[in-house]
Amino acid sequence: MRRPGGWWRGKSTPAKVETYTRWSFHFFGVTEVAAIGVAALGQAGSPIGVWLLLAVCVHAALMMVTASRALDWTRGRREQPVRTLWAMAAVSAAIATAALALSEYGPGGEDVEAAAGAVFGGVTAFGAGTIALGVGDRRRVPAVIGGFAGGAGAVAALLGLSATATLVTMLVVLLGSGFFAFTAMFSVWLLDAVYELDAGRETRARLAVAEERLRFGRDLHDVLGRNLAVIALKSELAVQLARRERPEALEQMVEVQRIAQESQREVRDVVRGYREADLGVELAGAKGVLTAAGIDCEVTGEADGLPGEVQSALGWVVREATTNVLRHGDAGRCVVGLRLAEGRVVLTVRNDGVGGGADGPVPGHGGSGLAGLRERLAAVDGTLEAGPVGKGEFRVVAQVPLAASGVSEVLA
């Protein structure tokens, strides 16, 4: 059974921001009903208050639907909800006009007037802010705000309000709708920025992998390029000499064999150097990379004195766990600790992002992830444990016995 709140902790940071933004606009609808509709019912009483409450409820429901569809459109999940936006504008205009007319000519005295005025102001402000979400060109948002203010002024003039009252009405609509429209635009801008930052982080990770592949490719090219060219030339020469039955053909083939064997040794040296990892360098690199990604990273322990094969195995654990935190998790803090305990070297990597690889492979040697790390540790009789622990925390623990690798003698 999923733990309470697990659906939230399992979301990425952009998904969390999107959920927060979406429910914020839904909360605006609830606020409109509670702060304006219910208050109007209390002020105006029945039956006028009931009608005002129903009108506000209809407007709030349509506002939630419009906001949801507009946010889906901003994320590229659907076409622009043009009809919904026009419906939102028409309903907002109709309710606002009715409320303004009720405020001026309706029965019930000052209480009804105040309730209708609140409905008028709330509907225009929330309506303009919601419509701003679905405007394609952000430069048109001021036109939407001006349209609401101008329309309110025109309706006020047609209803016979004085020039002062008309100007006040336009100013109220301009300020209220402008505030909520700005809030909507800022929310969308922030959501887009978070998604772009997340995409940039993924791009950096892919570029780092590509750069390492290019480096490895350059090393292999430097090692094999010249030798293969020499082998090709000497082989061609040996063929020509053999066709002429010259004894030098045997010497050339012996030379080809020697160069080929030398190339094999050089390739093994390149691969061995590529696969070995310095633990101290990996610890410092993990701290730098995670900090640059906005993750608070704490590193404790020193790698000095550990044999090369142990440092290489544990260094790969640090490298893969760090990559996992960046790619698969949503961590805000990561702690990397190296210590000696009960005759074992213990490396612990903890982060508060439950997405840190619990259900997916860890990028690593041969694409085998955790299995690849266990193979590396098995070479030094080490073990690896990885999984979620506590509330929203993921932990990787690698242990290497001291006696198996001669660490006890080195550190003694």
Side-chain angles (χ1 to χ4, degrees):
M1 177 181 263
R2 180 176 283 239
R3 294 176 298 176
W7 69 274
W8 175 260
R9 288 192 294 268
K11 289 178 176 289
S12 64
T13 298
K16 288 180 178 179
V17 174
E18 181 178 351
T19 301
Y20 173 79
T21 303
R22 191 177 298 272
W23 282 103
S24 294
F25 283 99
H26 290 172
F27 180 74
F28 285 161
V30 176
T31 302
E32 183 180 17
V33 173
I36 299 175
V38 175
L41 176 61
Q43 285 181 309
S46 181
I48 295 178
V50 174
W51 285 109
L52 290 175
L53 176 60
L54 290 176
V56 171
C57 289
V58 170
H59 187 267
L62 182 58
M63 182 177 69
M64 293 180 184
V65 173
T66 304
S68 180
R69 294 183 179 182
L71 286 173
D72 287 339
W73 167 69
T74 60
R75 299 309 317 145
R77 299 175 187 145
R78 64 179 303 145
E79 296 181 354
Q80 186 178 15
V82 177
R83 294 182 178 179
T84 306
L85 294 174
W86 278 109
M88 186 73 213
V91 171
S92 299
I95 294 177
T97 300
L100 189 59
L102 180 63
S103 174
E104 290 299 317
Y105 302 107
E110 294 182 357
D111 291 337
V112 173
E113 182 180 346
V119 171
F120 169 80
V123 165
T124 52
F126 283 113
T130 306
I131 293 173
L133 283 174
V135 176
D137 188 352
R138 298 303 174 189
R139 292 174 295 183
R140 297 180 180 177
V141 173
V144 173
I145 299 172
F148 267 80
V155 171
L158 291 175
L159 292 176
L161 273 68
S162 65
T164 302
T166 300
L167 290 175
V168 170
T169 301
M170 294 178 64
L171 181 61
V172 169
V173 173
L174 184 66
L175 293 178
S177 60
F179 172 77
F180 281 102
F182 172 79
T183 302
M185 292 175 59
F186 178 78
S187 299
V188 173
W189 174 84
L190 180 62
L191 181 60
D192 290 341
V194 171
Y195 270 103
E196 289 177 2
L197 288 173
D198 186 70
R201 186 174 67 175
E202 293 181 359
T203 301
R204 285 199 306 272
R206 289 195 296 268
L207 288 176
V209 174
E211 183 178 355
E212 185 64 15
R213 289 174 178 172
L214 288 174
R215 185 195 68 81
F216 186 62
R218 287 193 300 268
D219 290 346
L220 285 179
H221 178 271
D222 293 341
V223 169
L224 294 178
R226 179 185 62 83
N227 290 347
L228 289 177
V230 173
I231 288 174
L233 290 173
K234 287 186 173 294
S235 299
E236 183 179 355
L237 177 60
V239 170
Q240 297 296 329
L241 292 174
R243 287 176 178 175
R244 300 174 185 177
E245 298 182 356
R246 298 281 297 274
E248 292 88 345
L250 179 60
E251 297 178 2
Q252 295 297 327
M253 292 307 300
V254 171
E255 183 67 11
V256 167
Q257 182 183 27
R258 183 191 66 79
I259 296 174
Q261 292 173 347
E262 180 182 350
S263 299
Q264 286 181 325
R265 286 193 299 272
E266 291 179 348
V267 169
R268 282 195 295 268
D269 291 339
V270 171
V271 174
R272 185 180 301 111
Y274 176 73
R275 295 180 63 182
E276 289 179 353
D278 184 271
L279 182 55
V281 173
E282 293 299 332
L283 290 173
K287 182 178 179 63
V289 169
L290 293 176
T291 301
I295 300 173
D296 183 17
C297 181
E298 177 184 351
V299 177
T300 60
E302 296 290 340
D304 297 339
L306 296 178
E309 63 272 15
V310 176
Q311 290 203 36
S312 178
L314 295 181
W316 269 101
V317 175
V318 174
R319 179 182 299 182
E320 305 299 347
T322 302
T323 303
N324 233 27
V325 172
L326 291 173
R327 281 189 167 181
H328 305 293
D330 186 29
R333 177 174 172 77
C334 182
V335 178
V336 183
L338 183 68
R339 59 189 175 87
L340 301 180
E342 300 179 355
R344 304 177 74 85
V345 183
V346 181
L347 173 70
T348 304
V349 182
R350 295 184 292 110
N351 71 86
D352 57 4
V354 289
D359 301 318
V362 179
H365 169 57
S368 56
L370 294 175
L373 292 181
R374 289 191 174 97
E375 290 177 2
R376 293 178 184 275
L377 290 170
V380 289
D381 295 332
T383 60
L384 179 73
E385 296 179 1
V389 294
K391 295 182 178 180
E393 184 176 83
F394 190 85
R395 182 177 64 185
V396 177
V397 180
Q399 302 186 47
V400 178
L402 299 180
S405 57
V407 178
S408 55
E409 290 80 358
V410 174
L411 299 180

